[in-house]
């Protein structure tokens, strides 16, 4: 399989070995605590709401149980939607570092409000806390990948972006097991459910502490005319003298890019011009498909399972809070392991289309089995026996987790990050991320009602969704692996609409332009995107 830490050097732009030191990894890990905030929340809230103590405190056995459960979870997504908009403007005006610090403070306030909430009598406090933590996550999730990418050597950019995803999945795993731990070891009182809420403070506190010592993005500083500070920060993160030729070369490239984009102006006029460019005919397909992929990812059912896994396991016959939480914790382990292996070894070797198409097929089969088993066994209406069919259903959920982790978990983020021109990439990411949060809000909001009303049809619904997504990828999403950011127009603007043909014509155009570059790019993907090495 090879060494995952091996570096593919770009022969045209060699990077001094000093740039691969601890500082850039410290920067990536510091910022990735922002993704840990999101990862922990996506896992702990569903498990915590299944605790007997939480059910009693918030009257989740009452007539309004379904709406209460839906509102507590979905308020987070609503906050994240508006938080992403807030994060875009803060990140553009005050900088990437200040965006992360301010979003952390908002999240911290929300976590405290949720922890001190007294139960059903203070639902407003819980909703406010959920909305604020959502705003913090929405703002930080937009900026963390951009901040890491803008500070990274191009040869290890993919690896460093992978740290962002690994922190998210590891925190998600912690969320599952924290709830399992309090359920097993603490009496069923308010302290039992408060502890998982209070643990939210740990990743946000680490984000504040770590980012207090980190630098501002050198590229953001250059964009805003702060060249001396940009040189100082770039020198620090590369572990090179300020007058080193490599530092000089990087700064010259940043300034050259800034000059090329000067036509977009600054302030309000710059934003208006960026929106005009984003809606232009040449980018329309990329914008629409990046938005659609966020909906496809959510229609793969991951957020339904993340937030309601104990309920899902109960629906296939595994009753009892501890049993459901244990199965949920193993689900988290599967996601972490597969995500880590895929990001280190396969994302830059296999390509985007094969991963998404394979993942779609396996996910469809998994949901088809779960729906059929639930229908035949009647598991939504009564507890079925724990026979071979029930254990196979558990296995199918874990197969689903593995398949999603190596396909729809990362694919839409990679696509959104690499297909937009540099001058509007953050705005393109904003549009995509807004659709991520909107789609997640809708899915999390309706899932409790689906489980209650259409029961086994919930699995068939998500199975149908992933089938449509797989077909869409086959016809409309070309493989982008091996093309630089500047070459994306060769794929998306060559007049073709069928994805394999778009890729083939793009390769032909690149070969006609520069046969040597095309051949070398096929051997190793140097600086292709934020996600490639």
């Amino acid at each position: 399989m090879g060494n995952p830490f091996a570096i593919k050097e770009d022969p045209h732009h060699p990077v001094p070995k000093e740039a691969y030191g601890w500082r850039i990894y410290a920067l990536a890990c510091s910022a990735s605590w922002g993704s840990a905030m999101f990862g922990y929340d996506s896992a702990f809230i569903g498990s915590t709401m299944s605790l007997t103590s939480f059910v009693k405190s918030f009257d989740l056995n009452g007539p309004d149980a379904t709406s209460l459960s839906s509102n507590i979870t979905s308020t987070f997504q609503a906050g994240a939607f508006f938080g992403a908009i807030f994060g875009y403007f803060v990140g553009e005006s005050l900088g990437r570092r200040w965006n992360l610090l301010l979003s952390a403070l908002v999240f911290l306030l929300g976590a405290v409000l949720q922890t001190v909430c007294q139960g059903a009598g203070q639902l407003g406090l819980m909703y406010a806390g959920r909305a604020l933590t959502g705003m913090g996550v929405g703002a930080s999730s937009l900026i963390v990948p951009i901040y890491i990418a803008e500070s990274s050597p191009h040869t290890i950019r993919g690896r460093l972006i992978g740290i962002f995803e690994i922190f998210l999945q590891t925190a998600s795993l912690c969320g599952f097991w924290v709830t399992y731990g309090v359920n097993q070891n603490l009496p069923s009182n308010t302290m039992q459910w408060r502890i998982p809420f209070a643990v939210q403070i740990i990743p946000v506190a680490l984000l504040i502490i770590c980012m207090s010592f980190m630098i501002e993005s050198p590229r953001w500083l250059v964009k805003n005319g702060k060249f001396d500070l940009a040189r100082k920060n770039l020198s620090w993160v590369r572990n090179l003298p300020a007058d080193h030729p490599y530092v000089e070369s990087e700064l010259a490239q940043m300034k050259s890019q800034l000059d090329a984009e000067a036509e977009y102006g600054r302030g309000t006029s710059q934003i208006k011009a960026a929106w005009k460019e984003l809606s232009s005919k040449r980018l329309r397909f990329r914008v629409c498909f990046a938005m659609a992929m966020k909906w496809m990812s959510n229609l793969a059912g991951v957020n339904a399972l993340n937030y309601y896994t104990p309920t899902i396991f109960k629906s296939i016959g595994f009753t009892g809070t501890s049993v459901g939480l244990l199965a949920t914790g193993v689900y988290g382990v599967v996601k972490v392991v597969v995500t880590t292996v895929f990001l280190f070894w396969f994302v830059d070797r296999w390509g985007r289309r094969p991963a998404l198409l394979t993942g779609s097929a396996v996910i469809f089969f998994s949901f088809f089995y779960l729906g059929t088993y639930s229908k035949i066994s009647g598991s939504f209406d009564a507890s079925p026996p724990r026979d071979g069919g029930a254990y196979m259903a558990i296995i199918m959920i874990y197969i689903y987790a593995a398949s999603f982790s190596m396909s729809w978990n990362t694919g839409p983020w990679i696509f959104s990050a690499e297909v937009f021109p540099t001058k509007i990439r953050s705005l393109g990411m904003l549009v995509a991320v807004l659709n991520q949060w909107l789609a997640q809000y809708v899915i999390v909001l309706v899932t409790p009602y689906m489980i209650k009303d259409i029961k086994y049809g919930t699995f068939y619904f998500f199975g149908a969704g992933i089938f449509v997504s797989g077909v869409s990828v086959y016809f409309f999403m070309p493989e982008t692996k091996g093309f630089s950011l500047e070459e994306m127009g060769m794929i998306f603007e060559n007049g073709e609409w069928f994805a394999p043909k778009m890729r083939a014509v793009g390769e032909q155009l690149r070969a006609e332009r520069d046969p040597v570059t095309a051949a070398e790019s096929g051997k190793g993907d140097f600086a292709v995107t934020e996600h490639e090495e």
Side-chain angles (χ1 to χ4, degrees), residues 189-416:
N189 53 31
T190 58
M191 185 59 66
Q192 187 189 55
W193 64 261
R194 288 185 197 280
I195 289 177
F197 278 98
V199 171
Q200 293 180 98
I201 297 173
I202 295 176
V204 71
L206 289 170
L207 176 63
I208 293 172
I209 293 171
C210 293
M211 287 307 302
S212 297
F213 297 97
M214 283 297 113
I215 60 169
E216 180 54 80
S217 160
R219 283 175 170 80
W220 183 87
L221 292 170
V222 170
K223 179 181 178 181
N224 287 272
K226 301 179 180 181
F227 300 114
D228 290 339
L229 185 55
R231 180 188 300 275
K232 178 182 178 182
N233 287 2
L234 187 62
S235 170
W236 181 86
V237 77
R238 297 291 181 266
N239 196 27
L240 294 169
D243 59 353
H244 191 279
Y246 184 77
V247 174
E248 296 282 0
S249 175
E250 271 203 276
L251 283 174
Q253 292 175 10
M254 295 178 196
K255 292 178 182 179
S256 176
Q257 182 179 3
L258 180 66
D259 293 339
E261 297 173 4
E263 61 184 273
Y264 281 81
R266 297 185 181 278
T268 303
S269 61
Q270 181 183 9
I271 295 175
K272 288 182 177 179
W275 275 109
K276 182 178 179 180
E277 174 70 6
L278 194 68
S279 60
S280 65
K281 184 177 180 180
R282 75 185 187 93
L283 293 177
R284 200 168 298 155
F285 171 79
R286 282 178 260 186
V287 173
C288 290
F289 203 77
M291 294 165 58
M293 287 192 77
K294 295 300 184 182
W295 284 90
M296 295 177 197
S297 176
N298 280 277
L299 285 173
V302 65
N303 287 301
L305 267 71
N306 280 349
Y307 285 91
Y308 301 107
T309 37
T311 304
I312 297 293
F313 281 117
K314 182 179 179 181
S315 73
I316 55 178
F318 285 76
T319 57
T321 302
S322 61
V323 173
L325 292 177
L326 177 60
T328 299
V330 177
Y331 169 82
V333 171
V334 172
K335 289 180 64 180
V336 169
V337 171
V338 175
T339 297
T340 303
V341 171
F342 180 74
L343 285 171
F344 273 143
W345 278 286
F346 295 110
V347 68
D348 292 332
R349 305 184 186 201
W350 197 11
R352 292 89 170 96
R353 272 174 60 87
L356 288 169
L357 291 173
T358 302
S360 297
V362 177
I363 291 170
F364 173 78
F365 179 77
S366 299
F367 277 134
F368 181 80
Y369 178 87
L370 290 168
T372 302
Y373 167 77
S374 299
K375 182 178 185 296
I376 295 174
S377 66
S379 59
F380 277 87
D381 299 312
S383 297
R386 293 188 190 177
D387 54 14
Y391 284 103
M392 180 57 69
I394 290 288
I395 293 173
M396 282 298 171
I397 288 182
Y398 296 150
I399 290 175
Y400 163 86
S403 301
F404 183 86
S405 296
M406 48 75 68
S407 57
W408 288 97
N409 190 42
T410 56
W413 292 94
I414 295 175
F415 184 87
S416 301

Side-chain angles (χ1 to χ4, degrees), residues 45-46 49 54 60 64-78 123 127 130 307-308 440-450:
I45 188 64
M49 288 195 303
F54 189 90
L60 292 185
D64 298 326
T66 300
S67 62
L68 284 174
S69 174
S70 175
N71 291 339
I72 290 173
T73 52
S74 61
T75 305
F76 177 90
Q77 279 71 35
L123 269 177
Y127 290 153
R130 295 292 294 159
Y307 285 91
Y308 301 107
Q440 190 168 327
Y441 171 79
V442 172
I443 295 299
V444 171
L445 183 68
V446 303
T447 295
Y449 298 98
M450 294 172 66

Side-chain angles (χ1 to χ4, degrees), residues 150-185:
E150 289 182 341
S151 305
S152 303
H154 65 277
T155 46
I156 59 171
R157 186 178 296 152
R159 176 179 303 166
L160 296 170
I161 292 295
I163 292 175
F164 161 83
E165 185 65 34
I166 291 169
F167 266 61
L168 188 152
Q169 294 298 339
T170 303
S172 175
L173 176 64
C174 292
F176 289 129
W177 288 105
V178 165
T179 311
Y180 179 76
V182 297
N183 180 69
Q184 291 292 100
N185 299 290

